[in-house]
Amino acid sequence: MPVVVILPNNNSNNNSNSNHNDNNNNNKEGPPDEKLYEYIVEFKSTVDVDKKVKYLEQIHKGVVKYKYKHAVKGYVCKMSKHTIGVLLEDKDVLHIERDGIVNIAIHEPEKITIEEKKSGGEVNSNLLFGEQWNQTITNAVPKLTDDFSSIDCYIVDTGILPTHQEFYPGQVVLGLNAITNAFNSQDNNGHGTAVASVVAGINVGIAVKTSLIAVKVLGQNGSGYYSDVIQGLDWIVATRNRNNPSIINMSLGGCKSTTLNNAVQNCITNGITVVVAAGNSGSDASNYSPSSTGNALTVSAHDINKTRPSWANYGSVVDFFAPGVSITSAWFTSPTSYSQLSGTSLASPIACGIAVRFLATGNYSPYQVKEYFTKNDIYGEIINQGSNSPNQRVYLNTSPIPCVCP
């Protein structure tokens, strides 16, 4: 019998753009004063989701918010305990879990430093590693001949400001806004724009001209819900251009969710590389999602001294470390504004950018991308890497990246 997983709502932040309200409902299956929470129901992969939704709506008067057909099979619905009990008897149900909160993986976001840099001016970056740390990325990474536009990179985040000077005209596509179920995924928080610029910005990015697709799953305060994130992943699997290599960056996280992890894994099974932030709780990343997804590239952070900050998550699910302290990135307040941010949110897109550079050299699977990092990373230099963490940090090879995988 499937198990109901109750995700604790232990975060006081609520997404102001979300309609997830724990209001009373006229569903006749529960007591009149029973609060009805939204639950995510995951079915076996062979299930006809439309038939399951029709049954729920007709028999149990449930109102379905989302139907998932691609990353996972399932739906999201407010339901009573009675309805949950009935669904638990359905042999096609794999999991039922209460919807939970996810947040951006930024450490102390209130300490963001904002500055304006006019187009054409030098933008100093702390993205670089080793002796190059204090150089500008423009001088360290070949830019003029770089063109990674054949790679589709999905930024699952707060949206992107497409008019920022870090992006070429047409480089950013505003994809799904899962919060409103529309296609206006402009950034009103800043986090998604920062992350996108670290992947592919003209001055501060690793892989210039990468095709960026904004998938907005987090609201103005940087919070959202698992159901929105899964909806974003479902849309990616359904609509991606299978002729182009695809990669997803997820600089977000929350408590562990079986269905979210399954959705991430199914993206990987569908040939999409997924890079995720390890999180900033200073604890084992295996307790959180999506960082606990086994085949994702889970990235923790180190500082300029190659030391893991106390807030950076660790553990056996971490694949490697990348710079994540005082990283210069684009900001959303104007086309010329920049920020300096710290968090595994910034380490993840650095790794994502390096993965894009590798994907541009051949048609590689997510498993071959992971093997590339294993063979090309630097070992033995991370200080205080944390229990069971690999002592392994990413290396940005500025010469043409060799094809090391069969």
Side-chain angles (χ1 to χ4, degrees):
M1 178 181 292
V3 176
V4 178
V5 181
I6 304 297
L7 297 179
N9 239 346
N10 56 4
N11 191 308
S12 60
N13 291 332
N14 290 314
N15 189 334
S16 59
N17 290 331
S18 175
N19 58 5
H20 293 245
N21 295 316
D22 297 332
N23 296 328
N24 288 341
N25 185 289
N26 291 327
N27 188 316
K28 297 179 181 179
E29 299 295 341
D33 59 347
E34 180 184 357
K35 283 188 175 181
L36 303 181
Y37 297 99
E38 286 189 346
Y39 287 85
I40 303 169
V41 181
E42 182 182 0
F43 294 104
K44 296 177 180 178
S45 61
T46 56
V47 162
D48 184 326
V49 175
D50 289 327
K51 288 184 179 179
K52 293 294 185 181
V53 168
K54 185 176 181 180
Y55 170 79
L56 179 75
E57 291 177 339
Q58 289 182 345
I59 306 302
H60 297 285
K61 311 302 180 185
V63 178
V64 171
K65 179 183 178 182
Y66 293 141
K67 290 187 287 187
Y68 304 133
K69 297 183 179 181
H70 306 284
V72 291
K73 293 291 185 72
Y75 57 66
V76 181
C77 180
K78 279 187 178 180
M79 60 181 74
S80 66
K81 293 179 181 178
H82 172 82
T83 299
I84 293 171
V86 173
L87 288 176
L88 286 173
E89 302 298 326
D90 186 340
K91 59 181 175 52
D92 291 327
V93 172
L94 292 178
H95 307 283
I96 303 175
E97 54 184 289
R98 184 173 157 188
D99 204 358
I101 294 175
V102 291
N103 294 285
I104 57 177
I106 285 288
H107 176 65
E108 297 182 347
E110 70 276 7
K111 294 186 179 179
I112 290 170
T113 300
I114 306 296
E115 59 182 338
E116 297 287 326
K117 295 288 185 181
K118 300 303 180 184
S119 179
E122 184 181 80
V123 180
N124 291 320
S125 175
N126 292 322
L127 292 176
L128 302 181
F129 328 135
E131 295 79 13
Q132 296 177 327
W133 185 281
N134 291 313
Q135 297 177 17
T136 63
I137 194 166
T138 304
N139 295 333
V141 180
K143 295 284 184 175
L144 295 179
T145 59
D146 278 356
D147 186 347
F148 299 100
S149 57
S150 63
I151 312 299
D152 291 337
C153 180
Y154 295 87
I155 306 297
V156 179
D157 214 288
T158 64
I160 303 175
L161 175 66
T163 58
H164 199 283
Q165 67 182 16
E166 282 295 316
F167 308 122
Y168 286 93
Q171 182 181 359
V172 176
V173 174
L174 297 180
L176 178 70
N177 182 339
I179 299 170
T180 62
N181 203 25
F183 290 90
N184 178 20
S185 47
Q186 285 269 7
D187 191 0
N188 59 355
N189 171 276
H191 186 265
T193 298
V195 166
S197 72
V198 172
V199 174
I202 294 171
N203 297 293
V204 300
I206 299 290
V208 178
K209 295 185 181 178
T210 302
S211 297
L212 298 168
I213 301 99
V215 182
K216 185 168 183 169
V217 299
L218 304 175
Q220 186 172 3
N221 65 356
S223 295
Y225 287 84
Y226 286 117
S227 58
D228 294 331
V229 178
I230 297 169
Q231 174 76 345
L233 297 178
D234 204 58
W235 178 80
I236 292 171
V237 175
T239 63
R240 76 182 182 98
N241 183 349
R242 295 182 181 272
N243 294 321
N244 292 350
S246 299
I247 188 167
I248 296 171
N249 187 86
M250 302 178 70
S251 292
L252 51 79
C255 55
K256 197 166 186 177
S257 164
T258 299
T259 309
L260 177 56
N261 283 6
N262 287 346
V264 172
Q265 177 56 51
N266 286 333
C267 288
I268 296 167
T269 302
N270 275 275
I272 306 172
T273 300
V274 183
V275 187
V276 304
N280 304 326
S281 302
S283 56
D284 195 323
S286 66
N287 295 322
Y288 303 92
S289 289
S291 59
S292 55
T293 307
N295 290 311
L297 289 168
T298 300
V299 189
S300 192
H302 68 75
D303 64 14
I304 192 171
N305 298 312
K306 302 170 190 172
T307 300
R308 179 186 66 87
S310 61
W311 44 259
N313 285 358
Y314 56 84
S316 60
V317 299
V318 171
D319 288 284
F320 45 77
F321 291 78
V325 178
S326 299
I327 303 300
T328 301
S329 54
W331 198 238
F332 80 116
T333 48
S334 81
T336 58
S337 61
Y338 287 81
S339 59
Q340 281 200 325
L341 305 176
S342 297
T344 57
S345 268
L346 286 306
S348 180
I350 289 176
C352 184
I354 296 173
V356 166
R357 295 174 68 88
F358 175 61
L359 284 170
T361 67
N363 186 22
Y364 297 113
S365 72
Y367 306 99
Q368 289 172 314
V369 175
K370 179 170 278 200
E371 183 182 355
Y372 167 79
F373 281 99
T374 300
K375 291 184 176 181
N376 287 272
D377 284 354
I378 296 175
Y379 291 81
E381 294 186 349
I382 299 297
I383 300 170
N384 186 34
Q385 75 265 30
S387 178
N388 298 317
S389 300
N391 197 318
Q392 178 179 345
R393 68 178 180 90
V394 295
Y395 171 67
L396 176 58
N397 188 346
T398 59
S399 60
I401 292 180
C403 302
V404 297
C405 299

